[in-house]
Amino acid sequence: MTSTSAKSPAVFLDRDGTIIHDADYCSDPKHVQVFDGAAAALRRLRNAGYKIIVITNQSGIGRGFFTEKQYREVEAEVSQQLGDDLIDATYFCPDAPGKPSNCRKPAPGMVLQAAQDHDVDLSGSFLIGDKEIDAECAHNAGVRAIRVRTGFDKMTDGSCADWVAENLPAAAEIILKEGK
């Protein structure tokens, strides 16, 4: 008899403007400021059975504004501020805009790779982000989209997102009510 493990749903999250204040090409851990309530919201989602996976465009690397090492230092600070056990995985795309890319949002490459790597059920999953490209990425990957108003672009009129929420805790409430 073979054992098959059931796939788990995930919450995919953009980083800058969704989990942390957008510092516009954040390359210094000293500039990391996790939003109030973010860690508690992620913990509630994790306790409800969701994998927590960050997917983030980091074109500052491709543009030469900062290095992958600097990105990793910022990533480590985000994890430390949230709590080291909250994020299951992080995927980043260093590609600059205007160049062919299968990972740069709105392309679904990071979500699809994460789903494969972590045995994710996309039909039960969500993506939370602060930009329209996040909502487009969600739909391109076959997951439900929640757009938060915590980034630079707070205008969400006409968004293709399935829901709009004020912040990450409010988005978590939507998922806990609508999910699974």
Side-chain angles (χ1 to χ4, degrees), residues 44-45 50 126 144 163 171-180:
R44 289 184 69 210
L45 292 168
Y50 290 94
F126 295 81
R144 292 168 280 181
W163 297 275
E173 286 300 320
I174 291 169
I175 292 169
L176 293 169
K177 180 181 172 201
E178 301 288 335
K180 297 188 186 183

Side-chain angles (χ1 to χ4, degrees), residues 8-75:
S8 301
V11 175
F12 299 96
L13 297 116
D14 174 57
R15 188 189 79 182
D16 303 345
T18 303
I19 298 172
I20 67 171
H21 290 270
D22 197 334
D24 208 13
Y25 301 109
C26 186
S27 61
D28 186 338
K30 292 183 214 142
H31 297 141
V32 171
Q33 287 183 283
V34 170
F35 284 116
D36 289 340
L42 295 178
R43 191 162 312 285
R44 289 184 69 210
L45 292 168
R46 181 169 249 253
N47 290 343
Y50 290 94
K51 292 181 179 178
I52 305 298
I53 301 173
V54 174
I55 60 160
T56 178
N57 285 347
Q58 292 296 319
S59 70
I61 297 169
R63 296 173 192 218
F65 297 163
F66 55 89
T67 65
E68 184 175 335
K69 179 180 182 289
Q70 289 172 298
Y71 162 77
R72 296 283 183 201
E73 290 168 352
V74 169
E75 178 184 358

